[in-house]
């Protein structure tokens, strides 16, 4: 029998009794807690990957386009402004496309956040409900144990009286 950690105790101001769990029940609660933590870790990894991915993409694009822009600026004296306008509009269209992708990525991130929060809330609610049920069960078992102890004492007194009566009856027979 294992005693649960402090976090499995009810969140009341009352002094809560330790809850005794079987190994199977404790492992079930621990597994649920670990699943919630895995969701949180996965969410954090997704956020970090998104931030890193955007920064790397921007750095690569800058590295790739800087020489092109420098070349265009050198050649701009001899080219028409219409060609530059065409290239500029293509770059603006690509920038808009990247912004749209960023919005989609943000939406996917928010969805992951909601799913992770829901999973953590579910695990916590299940843990609290389980702790409450176990606390009630423990109180019922303590009450039953107290009643059995009282019954055992009463039976011991009755046996003692019965033995005394038997000895007294034997003594009167002699």
């Amino acid at each position: 029998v294992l005693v649960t950690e402090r976090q499995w105790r009810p969140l009341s101001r009352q002094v809560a009794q330790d809850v005794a769990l079987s190994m199977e029940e404790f492992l079930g609660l621990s597994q649920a807690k670990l699943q919630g933590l895995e969701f949180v870790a996965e969410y954090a990894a997704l956020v970090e990957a998104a931030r890193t991915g955007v920064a790397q993409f921007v750095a690569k694009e800058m590295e790739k386009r800087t020489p092109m822009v420098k070349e265009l600026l050198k050649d701009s004296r001899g080219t028409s402004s219409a060609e530059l306008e065409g290239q500029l509009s293509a770059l603006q269209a690509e920038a808009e496309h990247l912004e749209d992708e960023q919005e989609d990525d943000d939406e996917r991130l928010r969805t992951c956040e909601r799913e992770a929060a829901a999973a953590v809330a579910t695990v916590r609610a299940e843990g609290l409900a389980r702790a409450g049920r176990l606390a009630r069960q423990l109180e019922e078992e303590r009450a039953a144990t107290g009643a059995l102890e009282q019954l055992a004492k009463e039976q011991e007194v009755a046996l003692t009286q019965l033995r005394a009566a038997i000895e007294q009856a034997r003594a009167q027979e002699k």
Side-chain angles (χ1 to χ4, degrees):
V1 177
L2 297 174
V3 177
T4 61
E5 299 174 8
R6 181 176 291 164
Q7 67 205 41
W8 295 110
R9 292 184 181 170
L11 297 176
S12 64
R13 295 201 183 263
Q14 301 173 1
V15 176
Q17 302 288 336
D18 286 338
V19 178
L21 294 173
S22 68
M23 179 63 87
E24 181 180 303
E25 294 173 54
F26 178 75
L27 290 175
L29 287 173
S30 295
Q31 182 65 30
K33 178 183 174 185
L34 286 174
Q35 286 175 345
L37 291 174
E38 286 172 358
F39 281 121
V40 171
E42 184 179 342
Y43 165 73
L46 285 172
V47 168
E48 185 60 31
R51 288 182 183 149
T52 303
V54 169
Q56 288 175 345
F57 179 77
V58 169
K60 285 179 184 178
E61 286 298 310
M62 283 181 58
E63 195 175 300
K64 179 175 116 180
R65 292 172 189 235
T66 301
M68 292 170 36
V69 171
K70 286 180 181 179
E71 186 177 318
L72 285 173
L73 290 174
K74 285 180 187 177
D75 293 342
S76 68
R77 293 180 187 151
T79 60
S80 67
S81 62
E83 185 181 331
L84 289 176
E85 288 295 324
Q87 291 175 354
L88 179 60
S89 65
L91 289 173
Q92 287 173 340
E94 189 173 347
E96 289 174 6
H97 175 70
L98 290 174
E99 287 175 3
D100 291 341
E101 284 184 4
Q102 178 67 34
E103 290 174 6
D104 291 343
D105 290 343
D106 289 344
E107 182 58 35
R108 282 193 296 272
L109 184 61
R110 284 190 293 276
T111 301
C112 287
E113 286 175 349
R114 286 190 296 270
E115 289 173 357
V120 168
T122 300
V123 168
R124 285 185 180 166
E126 288 173 357
L128 290 174
R130 179 80 172 159
R133 284 192 307 271
L134 290 172
R136 284 189 297 278
Q137 182 182 358
L138 180 62
E139 288 304 315
E140 290 171 2
E141 289 176 7
R142 283 185 178 156
T145 300
L148 288 173
E149 287 174 351
Q150 181 64 31
L151 179 62
K153 287 179 186 177
E154 290 172 4
Q155 287 178 346
E156 188 176 322
V157 169
L159 284 173
T160 303
Q161 290 173 349
L162 183 60
R163 286 183 188 132
I166 289 173
E167 283 184 27
Q168 189 178 21
R170 284 184 188 162
Q172 287 179 356
E173 286 181 8
K174 292 183 184 184

